[in-house]
Amino acid sequence: RRKEFLICLCYFKLSCMTPAIHALDEANIQYQLLEYSHERSNDGFGNEAVEKLGLSDDVVFKTLLVQLSSQEIIVCLVPVGLSLNLKAVARAAGAKKAALAPIRTAEKRTGYVTGGISPFGQLREHRTFIDKSAFPLNLIYVSAGRRGLEVCVPPEAFSVLLGATFVTLTDYE
């Protein structure tokens, strides 16, 4: 029975292996994977994760790519229940203006599809900013690199692996 369990666990791990999971493994960062059945007709990806996993929308973070007025692409993580404030992003990044990057650009730069963009294991390195509301939390959830797959990590993982900066991204002070 134990052998069957180990084979099943190994299969689950292999079937869920994404560049994000590989990056976390390489950095020896502890994480937990959560999987749910993604409905193709649902394009509210973060809200779907909150609903199907029974989590609060302040601990599930969406990964958004933003293009600055300098043309630099950056990664911003904000709670699903809040909206990204582009003025706050521009201020945090030291730019005059910021706008959401086109979907095609986001997918090309990260190697992930929309709704499955993880901050970890992207094709290119980007400066990463995470809303300061994540800092006091013990654990937060982000996409693990595939629609229907979330990874739970401590906020420190973003600093360690991505050099992320914790700043105000959801309201403008």
Side-chain angles (χ1 to χ4, degrees):
R1 196 146 209 16
R2 180 169 163 76
K3 187 177 180 181
E4 288 174 14
F5 173 75
L6 291 175
I7 290 170
C8 182
L9 184 62
C10 187
Y11 173 76
F12 176 76
K13 177 85 170 178
L14 289 175
S15 69
C16 294
M17 188 58 84
T18 65
I21 300 306
H22 181 71
L24 291 165
D25 284 342
E26 286 281 311
N28 290 320
I29 293 175
Q30 295 289 318
Y31 61 88
Q32 178 186 5
L33 281 177
L34 294 104
E35 189 171 27
Y36 61 92
S37 179
H38 166 66
E39 294 176 27
R40 293 183 147 217
S41 62
N42 191 341
D43 61 358
F45 305 108
N47 289 324
E48 181 184 33
V50 166
E51 181 184 316
K52 291 201 171 180
L53 296 174
L55 300 169
S56 169
D57 64 4
D58 61 343
V59 297
V60 178
F61 280 61
K62 51 191 169 186
T63 306
L64 303 169
L65 269 74
V66 173
Q67 187 167 4
L68 303 175
S69 51
S70 65
Q71 301 307 306
E72 178 187 6
I73 302 290
I74 62 171
V75 173
C76 295
L77 292 118
V78 296
V80 165
L82 299 175
S83 296
L84 182 67
N85 183 306
L86 293 170
K87 287 184 180 183
V89 172
R91 181 177 179 185
K96 290 182 182 180
K97 290 186 178 183
L100 286 177
I103 291 172
R104 183 172 158 86
T105 300
E107 291 180 343
K108 187 175 179 183
R109 301 274 308 221
T110 64
Y112 296 117
V113 297
T114 304
I117 295 178
S118 178
F120 306 113
Q122 295 184 0
L123 289 177
R124 296 187 187 186
E125 288 186 26
H126 300 97
R127 279 198 299 160
T128 302
F129 297 89
I130 184 167
D131 190 70
K132 67 181 180 182
S133 65
F135 197 70
L137 299 173
N138 291 325
L139 297 168
I140 65 172
Y141 301 80
V142 296
S143 176
R146 183 168 52 88
R147 293 175 183 163
L149 189 64
E150 294 285 306
V151 64
C152 176
V153 295
E156 302 81 43
F158 298 93
S159 299
V160 171
L161 196 55
L162 304 172
T165 305
F166 290 82
V167 295
T168 299
L169 294 176
T170 54
D171 53 12
Y172 189 67
E173 298 172 342

